[in-house]
Amino acid sequence: MSKNSYFAVAIDGPAASGKSTVARRLAKRLGLIMVNSGAMYRAIAWATLEQGIDAQNTAEVLTMLDQLEITCGVADGTSTILINGTDPGGALREDAVNERVSAVAAIPEVRYLLVEKQREYLQLGSLIMEGRDIGSVVFPDTPYKIYIDASEEVRLARRSAEGLKDVVSKRDAEDSKRKISPLMIADGATVIDSSEMNIDEVVEAAFQTLLEQGMKTNLQSIE
Ligand code: DC
């Protein structure tokens, strides 16, 4: 396959909407690279914690960013990220990172840098990328765009069933109201409300959506 025929599937949605699970399962079944763009913003937030930097202080964050070595790659079909050679691993999902990631993600320079790295993934192969602005900003020209939603109540219940505390509503409010690349339904995106669906149903609905959006595959169904 030539580089030019690589395509991107954009999956956006609020926190705990189920988009990561859907993206992971679709990517595996369709043989696409799975890129978790939230992990990239989380990695920068984690670096501010490691370096004792106030995430609300843009100047300090930018000075840190200048000296940060951010290495994005792929292992076993999934995106990876190293900060100054270290894999933050599970620390990316800790409360302290949840608390500050939206502030870091609202800084335009952070977004310019990460969006460039997100687009570079398309040189490696066709992919599914999940996030908040993938269909609107990162890959606005892709025909494959899904927005996965769920009620706030359901999203909070999902996080607590995973044994995780998360400031889901606070993050959504901050991610939706920021000036640059806010969480939004991209032009051309199909919305799937997953509130009343189990994960298998959401994955199937997402797959059928991609077929409707013109994706060519020999599969009739995802399972
Ligand atoms: O998908 P996630 O919950 O792991 O994302 C963590 C945070 O990163 C989210 O609260 C907002 C930010 N983010 C973003 O601004 N743009 C993206 N494309 C992905 C995540």
Side-chain angles (χ1 to χ4, degrees):
M1 191 188 280
S2 81
K3 267 189 183 178
N4 291 341
S5 59
Y6 291 155
F7 62 84
V9 175
I11 301 194
D12 292 300
S17 56
K19 61 187 186 309
S20 305
T21 310
V22 172
R24 201 165 41 243
R25 296 223 339 227
L26 281 177
K28 194 160 181 216
R29 195 72 171 98
L30 297 170
L32 306 175
I33 298 168
M34 150 74 191
V35 184
N36 176 350
S37 69
M40 299 166 82
Y41 292 95
R42 287 174 179 275
I44 307 294
W46 174 81
T48 64
L49 278 168
E50 286 290 291
Q51 301 192 15
I53 282 166
D54 176 2
Q56 306 284 344
N57 185 328
T58 302
E60 274 190 36
V61 175
L62 294 184
T63 305
M64 178 197 82
L65 204 60
D66 257 359
Q67 286 149 25
L68 216 56
E69 194 193 342
I70 306 167
T71 315
C72 295
V74 176
D76 295 330
T78 304
S79 58
T80 55
I81 185 159
L82 302 180
I83 298 291
N84 293 338
T86 299
D87 177 359
L92 292 184
R93 306 214 67 85
E94 283 174 0
D95 290 349
V97 171
N98 285 333
E99 291 281 353
R100 60 175 57 206
V101 64
S102 293
V104 168
I107 300 174
E109 290 83 351
V110 169
R111 301 202 73 84
Y112 300 146
L113 184 76
L114 295 187
V115 166
E116 199 179 304
K117 291 185 180 294
Q118 288 155 12
R119 289 185 178 141
E120 281 171 9
Y121 270 107
L122 203 54
Q123 292 167 15
L124 303 179
S126 295
L127 55 84
I128 293 192
M129 190 174 290
E130 51 116 344
R132 303 293 186 290
D133 62 340
I134 311 306
S136 57
V137 174
V138 183
F139 297 117
D141 297 332
T142 180
Y144 311 123
K145 297 185 191 184
I146 298 176
Y147 184 95
I148 299 188
D149 211 347
S151 70
E152 188 172 321
E153 202 186 343
V154 165
R155 293 187 291 114
L156 284 169
R158 283 180 187 160
R159 271 294 190 266
S160 81
E162 288 168 338
L164 295 171
K165 275 196 302 178
D166 192 352
V167 282
V168 164
S169 322
K170 181 169 167 277
R171 281 205 288 132
D172 286 343
E174 287 182 40
D175 295 340
S176 305
K177 74 168 196 248
R178 68 172 174 240
K179 287 204 183 78
I180 178 165
S181 316
L183 168 65
M184 60 179 284
I185 301 169
D187 277 350
T190 298
V191 179
I192 297 174
D193 185 339
S194 70
S195 305
E196 309 278 317
M197 297 164 115
N198 66 36
I199 195 65
D200 289 342
E201 291 169 334
V202 188
V203 174
E204 187 60 37
F207 175 68
Q208 294 302 330
T209 298
L210 294 179
L211 296 184
E212 282 161 27
Q213 291 177 343
M215 184 170 285
K216 300 279 175 266
T217 161
N218 294 330
L219 303 173
Q220 303 297 309
S221 158
I222 203 70
E223 296 307 331

